[in-house]
Amino acid sequence: MILYWFNFIAEVLIFIYALAIMGSYLVLAIMSLDEMKNHLERSEGTDYRAILASPLAPKVSLIAPAYNESLTIIDNIKSLLSIHYSKFEVIIVNDGSKDDTIDKVIKYFELEEVKPVYEKALHHKPIRGIYKSKNRAYKKLTVVDKENGGKADALNAGINICSNDLIACIDVDCIIEADAILKMVKPFLDENKHEVIASGGVVRIANSCVVEDGRLVKAKIPDNMIARFQVLEYIRAFLLGRMAWSRINGLLLISGAFGMFKKEIVIKCGGYNHKTVGEDMELVVRMRKWMTQNKRKYRVSYIPDPLCWTEAPSTTQVLGRQRNRWARGTYETLKFHKELFFNPKYGVMGMVSYPFWFFFEWMAPFIEAIGLIYFVFLVITGMLNWSFFLLMLALVYSFAICNSFVAILSEELSYFKYARRNDLYKMILTALIEPFVYHPRVVYWSLKGNFDLWKGKTSWGEMSRSGFVQFKKSKKN
Amino acid sequence: MGEFVSHEWKVIIAITLIVLFVLSTLLLFVTILIIKFSRAGRTIRNTRFKNRVENKLNELISEYESHTPEDILKIVNLFKPVTKEGWQKTIFGDLLIHYTINLTGDIQQFLKEIFFGLALDQTCFQDLKRGNVREKVRAMRYLSTMGYKPACPLINKYVNDRRKLLRVEASLALIDLSENQLQFLDKLEYPLTQWQQINIYKKLSEKPPESLPAFQRWFDSKNPSIQAFAIEMTSRFNQTSEMEKLLPLLENDSKKIKIKAIQSLIAFDSSDLVPILRDKLAICTEPDVKIELLAAIGSLSSDVSDTDLLETYLMSEDLSVRIQAARSILKMEDGSTRLARKNALYPLMLQPVIDHISNPLLR
């Protein structure tokens, strides 16, 4: 009798959880599509050229930390220096690279050590030297060489040194669209009654894409299956998820690969947190909290245009390390700000965003794992109702496919970056097999991340990349 | 099916949802394919049409000498059959706008007459009344480029629209069409966003300076963003006669307004105002405003005694204030000697600042 009730309650709870998660994703998808439609209408009528030559345009500091980037650093910096914007500076922070990153940069850009005075508003590891170029062509470049302290530490050093009110934090190995800054700046210029404190853009996968002179010229679906799964995953996350969160001003995460912030607020709330590997999400949550506590009306803006392209991990080992880190970062952020949980004082963030992240982002892998264990238990005890099990499997699978198809539709309606029909077929095929081939691994890595955190793991994890050089070789493909 | 009995309600929900998801997926799949295939066809069709009408327009422009109403009628009749559909009107309208902006004189007038002859202004009116945001924006651009003044009352309605894009576009169109270019500022209920200011400034820069209004008119606007914009424009368009009127703004509650006013005074390069700035500096508590006042005194003053005043700020707790004070002293007569003397007394505090401001790479 007890077993029966246990069985009944477990099934009902899992069923309700599944319905809740599906319902919330469905609502997010519908909201995203509507917001996308509005955004496209707005952006089609927007002439970004007005900012290009305007003396009224705000100055922007691009901060890019670099660690062991010797292979591609020169191309990366040149690419950053060639963006379409007039008033900007590029600050490269060499975070104690073990290779010859700094030597290469000093030599190529003809750098000379300078001693600027600046407010040390944020804490970071000691700086070994700050360099500026003697060559007028690179006058917008500043290079900071510091002791290794991690990405958050390097960004804090860059924030201290930069001289502009808007800061764009960028992964140095990302490919930024030429008009990315123009588009990212716009929400800050457009602020009305609410102050815009941060703005995020879509990050896309650059594997197999054609890159020339540091610019992406043709988007292609990656040949590598691991990378291909991530293309779909990123489209779902950026075009469906974040778009909807932005609509209700509930966005908690701006990708560490590319985000723009108001320097004043970043400094006031203490800059990037060294104690977490999820420093990007943690900063946004802290900034939002600070604004609420100081009774300032604010918005975290989001632009669905593909502005930044990054090389995704193409092996399971590297991807596993990345997902492990993301899982730890999520938990750490949620833990650091646990007072937000269903706290009406924090509005949408406290009542909707935080609980969503807690129940459907952080807890989901645990629930899936419990479901699996429960399934094994039922098989062993002979209590499994196979018909019902298969029905549930079909429900989850059909939902997963449907959600992926909404994402593909959203991409086709908006930016259709993958112009070839073959790419569309590949994406559809990927959507069909992803729930069985890719998703279980992501769940496993998330669980392992939480387990590693419990064991006290705090390291970032080595992220080996092929670099853009390989993309350049694929130019003639 | 007997196995389902204990799960009856769950089974009903699950089956319903599966059917829903499967049907939705199929529908999405078909929609995606239709979009993909029709887009390719649409692109080819639009390109072909654009090339055709563009060639025809080029031909007309290159052979143009003069035109009579009969000529226009002939050309209108030529284009009428190919501009029936909405998409054709859009492509053709865009082309006409492009040429109208880039050409001048009689040819421009000729193109405008083709536009009105094809009744594209009426289409714009319809779009302005009933179109979506995209169509409304396009209509306002078309009508303002074509200088169609009767559209003003209708466009005026969008000055306070809840959609920012329409507000921006309406304000830009009114600058082109209205007799009093910036009158809309008087009734603007929303803040004039920085984006809007950038676009308006761009538009105003294309006009002859003498045709611009005196911006001091908005110095006492109740809308702080309009006040800030007016101050900025006063200096951008060098309306020096308005200089005196900037002074009361130094008392404004808003830090932003104060800073803008000081920056404008620097741009006017008037040394007569230094005593007032000196008094303001003495009572100023906001570091950002202090920095601007120091910069202003450094730029405008030729009185050596002001160096003493500036020197007192070299010991400020605020690093930015110290840097600005040093910069301003360097601009004064004998400033470098004075700075070196002070540095000899407080090398730990001043040497880094002097190194910073004197390094050309850090400018």
Side-chain angles (χ1 to χ4, degrees):
Chain A
M1 190 63 182
I2 292 170
L3 205 60
Y4 169 80
W5 279 108
F6 170 74
N7 201 359
F8 178 77
I9 292 167
E11 272 179 14
V12 169
L13 285 179
I14 290 176
F15 189 70
I16 289 172
Y17 181 82
L19 289 186
I21 205 165
M22 284 179 212
S24 55
Y25 276 109
L26 210 64
V27 171
L28 287 178
I30 293 166
M31 274 163 54
S32 293
L33 287 175
D34 189 47
E35 183 64 8
M36 177 68 79
K37 182 181 145 273
N38 293 339
H39 174 82
L40 290 175
E41 260 187 19
R42 283 194 301 263
S43 65
E44 201 185 274
T46 303
D47 183 6
Y48 289 96
R49 288 170 305 177
I51 324 178
L52 263 179
S54 180
L56 309 185
K59 293 177 184 171
V60 179
S61 296
L62 277 69
I63 305 173
Y67 179 71
N68 291 349
E69 304 277 357
S70 167
L71 185 69
T72 57
I73 190 75
I74 304 296
D75 283 341
N76 295 339
I77 295 177
K78 277 161 67 178
S79 166
L80 285 179
L81 287 169
S82 67
I83 56 159
H84 292 178
Y85 199 73
S86 54
K87 296 156 130 188
F88 73 99
E89 61 173 351
V90 174
I91 297 180
I92 304 293
V93 187
N94 177 47
D95 190 31
S97 296
K98 290 174 190 155
D99 63 7
D100 61 344
T101 301
I102 189 71
D103 300 326
K104 268 190 170 175
V105 174
I106 289 175
K107 192 173 170 203
Y108 187 89
F109 293 101
E110 303 165 50
L111 301 181
E112 186 181 284
E113 188 165 2
V114 290
K115 293 201 183 304
V117 278
Y118 57 90
E119 208 77 63
K120 292 178 181 68
L122 303 174
H123 171 74
H124 56 77
K125 288 273 169 73
I127 287 178
R128 296 171 186 149
I130 300 172
Y131 301 87
K132 294 281 293 180
S133 178
K134 287 177 278 181
N135 187 337
R136 296 280 298 160
Y138 306 124
K139 69 172 182 180
K140 287 179 175 170
L141 176 67
T142 302
V143 176
V144 181
D145 184 26
K146 65 178 275 292
E147 287 176 15
N148 181 264
K151 189 178 171 187
D153 195 72
L155 285 167
N156 282 346
I159 294 167
N160 273 345
I161 287 161
C162 76
S163 50
N164 300 323
D165 296 336
L166 290 179
I167 50 173
C169 298
I170 300 172
D171 278 355
V172 76
D173 53 358
C174 281
I175 302 164
I176 303 291
E177 293 276 337
D179 58 357
I181 300 296
L182 286 174
K183 288 185 175 170
M184 284 287 256
V185 155
K186 171 128 194 300
F188 292 94
L189 300 175
D190 237 351
E191 63 185 22
N192 216 330
K193 287 167 190 158
H194 292 71
E195 195 178 347
V196 175
I197 56 168
S199 164
V202 170
V203 178
R204 292 287 184 98
I205 305 291
N207 302 43
S208 298
C209 293
V210 184
V211 175
E212 278 178 27
D213 300 324
R215 293 270 168 263
L216 190 129
V217 290
K218 190 175 181 188
K220 283 164 79 179
I221 292 288
D223 303 322
N224 177 291
M225 275 312 285
I226 295 285
R228 201 178 287 177
F229 286 128
Q230 290 171 80
V231 168
L232 190 62
E233 196 184 18
Y234 273 50
I235 291 177
R236 262 199 322 257
F238 284 96
L239 287 190
L240 292 194
R242 295 190 196 178
M243 195 75 211
W245 286 118
S246 145
R247 185 193 170 114
I248 56 167
N249 196 17
L251 202 62
L252 292 192
L253 172 61
I254 283 181
S255 169
F258 188 37
M260 193 175 274
F261 305 91
K262 231 173 212 171
K263 183 182 172 183
E264 177 213 343
I265 311 296
V266 173
I267 287 181
K268 277 188 174 150
C269 69
Y272 281 95
N273 189 341
H274 298 221
K275 290 176 187 157
T276 173
V277 287
E279 76 293 323
D280 43 5
M281 181 178 173
E282 204 280 331
L283 176 69
V284 178
V285 174
R286 199 149 27 87
M287 285 173 77
R288 297 184 66 125
K289 237 171 97 176
W290 189 90
M291 292 298 284
T292 309
Q293 284 163 355
N294 287 277
K295 297 186 173 55
R296 281 165 72 164
K297 284 184 177 173
Y298 71 95
R299 265 197 76 79
V300 174
S301 175
Y302 180 74
I303 301 146
D305 302 50
L307 301 177
C308 172
W309 297 77
T310 187
E311 186 193 351
S314 51
T315 64
T316 46
Q317 288 83 357
V318 180
L319 181 64
R321 282 199 284 267
Q322 185 196 54
R323 296 312 158 97
N324 183 305
R325 178 166 55 82
W326 286 5
R328 283 182 285 138
T330 303
Y331 176 71
E332 283 169 340
T333 304
L334 294 176
K335 192 179 140 198
F336 290 161
H337 303 286
K338 53 182 181 289
E339 72 275 21
L340 296 178
F341 193 63
F342 283 120
N343 188 339
K345 184 183 154 192
Y346 294 98
V348 173
M349 175 169 63
M351 298 303 285
V352 188
S353 307
Y354 188 102
F356 179 89
W357 272 83
F358 181 81
F359 288 117
F360 300 143
E361 294 286 344
W362 178 70
M363 253 177 74
F366 292 100
I367 301 288
E368 286 188 52
I370 290 167
L372 191 69
I373 294 165
Y374 182 58
F375 164 73
V376 173
F377 165 76
L378 290 178
V379 170
I380 292 169
T381 53
M383 290 168 64
L384 183 71
N385 181 342
W386 280 98
S387 310
F388 185 69
F389 165 73
L390 290 173
L391 192 71
M392 288 304 290
L393 194 68
L395 174 63
V396 174
Y397 181 71
S398 60
F399 169 75
I401 304 293
C402 185
N403 195 32
S404 291
F405 273 54
V406 176
I408 296 171
L409 175 72
S410 182
E411 162 69 6
E412 283 300 320
L413 283 172
S414 54
Y415 302 103
F416 44 95
K417 280 284 171 186
Y418 305 102
R420 298 182 315 168
R421 282 180 197 166
N422 258 350
D423 284 340
L424 175 66
Y425 303 143
K426 281 180 191 171
M427 209 130 72
I428 287 172
L429 188 69
T430 309
L432 293 175
I433 60 172
E434 188 212 9
F436 296 112
V437 183
Y438 180 70
H439 183 71
R441 294 187 203 200
V442 174
V443 172
Y444 167 72
W445 290 319
S446 298
L447 288 171
K448 192 166 181 309
N450 281 284
F451 183 66
D452 286 347
L453 186 70
W454 179 65
K455 281 198 305 182
K457 183 176 176 178
T458 54
S459 71
W460 184 270
E462 203 70 28
M463 294 295 293
S464 57
R465 293 177 194 267
S466 314
F468 294 157
V469 178
Q470 286 202 359
F471 301 152
K472 279 184 178 167
K473 282 177 191 160
S474 71
K475 199 156 55 174
K476 302 289 175 208
N477 286 357
Chain B
M1 198 62 199
E3 289 172 339
F4 281 150
V5 173
S6 62
H7 298 277
E8 202 174 342
W9 64 274
K10 285 180 271 175
V11 170
I12 294 167
I13 294 174
I15 290 177
T16 312
L17 287 176
I18 290 169
V19 171
L20 190 74
F21 290 146
V22 169
L23 288 177
S24 305
T25 305
L26 287 173
L27 189 68
L28 286 166
F29 178 68
V30 173
T31 313
I32 291 166
L33 287 183
I34 290 172
I35 290 171
K36 193 84 183 172
F37 287 92
S38 65
R39 181 180 294 123
R42 224 173 26 237
T43 310
I44 295 169
R45 179 197 69 182
N46 290 357
T47 314
R48 276 193 194 144
F49 177 75
K50 192 183 169 191
N51 288 342
R52 197 151 53 98
V53 288
E54 195 170 18
N55 286 341
K56 194 69 209 164
L57 267 179
N58 283 337
E59 207 177 286
L60 287 171
I61 289 167
S62 61
E63 288 168 5
Y64 178 84
E65 279 170 8
S66 63
H67 67 274
T68 60
E70 289 74 34
D71 294 333
I72 295 291
L73 195 65
K74 248 188 254 172
I75 295 164
V76 165
N77 285 334
L78 182 77
F79 283 116
K80 231 173 201 165
V82 294
T83 50
K84 277 183 186 161
E85 302 284 332
W87 64 272
Q88 291 171 324
K89 280 182 185 168
T90 306
I91 293 173
F92 189 67
D94 284 348
L95 272 174
L96 273 182
I97 292 295
H98 173 76
Y99 283 115
T100 310
I101 290 171
N102 290 297
L103 296 170
T104 52
D106 281 353
I107 300 187
Q108 193 188 57
Q109 191 51 39
F110 169 63
L111 293 169
K112 284 182 181 178
E113 283 178 37
I114 296 176
F115 179 87
F116 293 117
L118 285 167
L120 291 177
D121 54 328
Q122 293 312 310
T123 313
C124 290
F125 260 91
Q126 292 305 316
D127 286 346
L128 260 182
K129 281 179 188 160
R130 282 186 283 274
N132 58 28
V133 174
R134 204 182 313 211
E135 288 161 345
K136 283 188 164 82
V137 166
R138 192 185 299 124
M140 283 194 248
R141 282 190 191 162
Y142 280 14
L143 292 171
S144 65
T145 308
M146 293 300 169
Y148 190 64
K149 291 186 192 299
C152 275
L154 192 52
I155 294 175
N156 244 318
K157 286 182 185 165
Y158 294 101
V159 164
N160 281 314
D161 195 275
R162 65 182 170 82
R163 290 157 293 191
K164 276 183 250 178
L165 184 60
L166 291 182
R167 293 208 297 270
V168 174
E169 218 48 54
S171 56
L172 296 178
L174 288 171
I175 291 173
D176 278 334
L177 297 176
S178 172
E179 294 296 329
N180 303 306
Q181 295 158 325
L182 295 172
Q183 205 175 29
F184 67 89
L185 291 177
D186 295 332
K187 56 172 190 171
L188 188 67
E189 290 159 14
Y190 287 87
L192 192 70
T193 66
Q194 219 179 326
W195 175 257
Q196 208 167 352
Q197 294 182 27
I198 286 172
N199 279 283
I200 294 174
Y201 173 65
K202 184 172 175 257
K203 195 64 133 180
L204 293 176
S205 308
E206 293 158 6
K207 309 270 172 207
E210 61 277 7
S211 72
L212 300 178
F215 290 97
Q216 58 87 13
R217 185 179 147 192
W218 292 282
F219 281 179
D220 53 1
S221 166
K222 287 192 177 103
N223 187 333
S225 61
I226 293 178
Q227 263 185 311
F229 175 68
I231 300 168
E232 176 90 45
M233 291 303 108
T234 306
S235 63
R236 292 273 165 209
F237 293 107
N238 208 20
Q239 294 185 342
T240 41
S241 58
E242 313 302 328
M243 200 163 56
E244 294 292 324
K245 288 161 191 155
L246 281 169
L247 293 175
L249 296 169
L250 297 176
E251 308 285 345
N252 200 288
D253 291 338
S254 156
K255 189 169 81 174
K256 196 176 165 188
I257 301 283
K258 274 189 265 193
I259 289 175
K260 288 258 181 217
I262 300 166
Q263 285 170 343
S264 293
L265 290 175
I266 297 176
F268 289 142
D269 201 18
S270 171
S271 54
D272 305 344
L273 302 170
V274 173
I276 298 165
L277 296 174
R278 218 181 277 142
D279 294 345
K280 296 288 168 209
L281 182 64
I283 52 165
C284 179
T285 51
E286 294 158 304
D288 293 345
V289 180
K290 218 181 263 183
I291 289 167
E292 295 301 330
L293 285 168
L294 287 168
I297 292 173
S299 299
L300 305 177
S301 174
S302 51
D303 186 347
V304 186
S305 65
D306 276 333
T307 316
D308 295 331
L309 174 72
L310 294 171
E311 268 186 8
T312 59
Y313 290 91
L314 285 174
M315 299 296 127
S316 166
E317 279 179 13
D318 191 301
L319 178 65
S320 308
V321 171
R322 284 211 298 275
I323 292 175
Q324 188 52 58
R327 278 203 177 115
S328 294
I329 290 172
L330 274 185
K331 284 184 186 167
M332 307 295 284
E333 195 187 328
D334 206 21
S336 52
T337 320
R338 297 281 297 266
L339 203 56
R341 212 179 294 156
K342 197 84 179 170
N343 187 29
L345 294 171
Y346 306 99
L348 277 179
M349 200 157 185
L350 289 182
Q351 191 58 51
V353 172
I354 292 170
D355 288 345
H356 180 101
I357 60 170
S358 54
N359 190 336
L361 297 180
L362 290 172
R363 263 170 221 161

